[in-house]
Amino acid sequence: MTYNRAAIMKAAWVIVRRFLGRTQETLAQLLSRALKSAWWNAKQEAKAIQDLAANRAEADRLAQRSSADLKAAIINLENIDALGHAGLARLSDLQAALSKAEEREAAEYAEKRELIASAKGRFASVTFTKKDGSRRVMRVHPATLRQHVKGDGATEAGRKATETRAQRHPNLMPVWDAEKRSPRSVNLATVSQIKVNGVTHEFRAC
């Protein structure tokens, strides 16, 4: 850490002028005490700046984690009987990061949905990672899926079930697998590439 010695000396002389003649100390003694006080203040200020930078860096790191990862970390903390001050502070940081992560992921999911849906009657290529960690490229056809979705013709129970799935799993998007010729679900969180309308879009997995 580099300190501004001129500023520290200036601060020390401010203290000297404030107390000069009001104590039994000599000028040398007063200046010595003032310098110690000025140095202590400078070090405290520097520490506060370092702590703030560290907190911001940690907040940035947390913000890059997925909502699923953050939820797991929150659950682990909540299962501890006594968190203490540090644990409570960590829990608060995780919850704040979770809120931001969910907002970020919701925007990313919406973008991916729109891109896939924009293919309409054409084909789109979607690259994603399966549960077993393998990479899969699926050719989807949005128009065909619409032909197999009941929409307004679905029963009330069916519509509620669809709404519930969408709320619980906002990362899943129903698509029509052109090769399998059947409806499938794509995990938007693991989609790394979408090719649609002659344009390739790259993504970082959530």
Side-chain angles (χ1 to χ4, degrees):
M1 172 62 67
T2 301
Y3 294 95
N4 187 333
R5 294 177 179 273
I8 293 173
M9 179 60 75
K10 183 177 179 180
W13 275 108
V14 169
I15 296 174
V16 169
R17 285 192 293 270
R18 183 186 306 163
F19 292 99
L20 188 62
R22 298 182 181 181
T23 70
Q24 298 300 317
E25 297 172 292
T26 64
L27 176 60
Q29 291 173 330
L30 183 57
L31 180 58
S32 175
R33 181 166 63 86
L35 279 171
K36 290 179 181 178
S37 177
W39 270 105
W40 187 87
N41 289 335
K43 290 178 180 179
Q44 289 298 111
E45 183 179 353
K47 183 178 183 302
I49 292 173
Q50 287 180 330
D51 290 345
L52 179 60
N55 290 338
R56 287 178 175 173
E58 175 62 12
D60 289 340
R61 284 193 292 272
L62 287 177
Q64 297 306 312
R65 293 169 63 176
S66 69
S67 62
D69 186 22
L70 290 168
K71 286 178 182 177
I74 288 172
I75 290 173
N76 286 337
L77 275 179
E78 290 177 337
N79 286 333
I80 297 176
D81 293 334
L83 286 177
H85 178 73
L88 290 172
R90 180 64 174 177
L91 181 59
S92 178
D93 290 342
L94 288 170
Q95 290 170 335
L98 174 60
S99 178
K100 293 180 180 179
E102 288 178 335
E103 290 180 3
R104 183 190 71 244
E105 290 173 3
E108 292 175 356
Y109 296 161
E111 180 184 3
K112 292 174 181 178
R113 288 178 186 277
E114 290 177 4
L115 282 173
I116 294 172
S118 70
K120 298 180 180 180
R122 296 179 293 276
F123 291 99
S125 174
V126 181
T127 302
F128 61 97
T129 302
K130 298 169 62 177
K131 287 184 178 180
D132 61 6
S134 62
R135 184 170 173 270
R136 168 84 190 278
V137 179
M138 182 187 295
R139 291 182 72 237
V140 303
H141 197 254
T144 301
L145 178 66
R146 286 195 294 272
Q147 296 172 8
H148 291 77
V149 175
K150 293 182 179 180
D152 294 336
T155 64
E156 183 177 353
R159 287 197 296 272
K160 287 184 177 180
T162 300
E163 292 174 0
T164 300
R165 282 195 299 271
Q167 292 173 355
R168 292 181 178 176
H169 307 286
N171 57 308
L172 298 182
M173 178 180 181
V175 296
W176 182 263
D177 188 334
E179 295 179 1
K180 302 292 185 181
R181 295 186 179 182
S182 63
R184 290 286 189 274
S185 288
V186 170
N187 184 356
L188 296 173
T190 69
V191 169
S192 57
Q193 185 185 86
I194 297 175
K195 293 182 180 180
V196 60
N197 301 324
V199 180
T200 300
H201 303 266
E202 303 286 347
F203 299 93
R204 180 180 64 84
C206 298

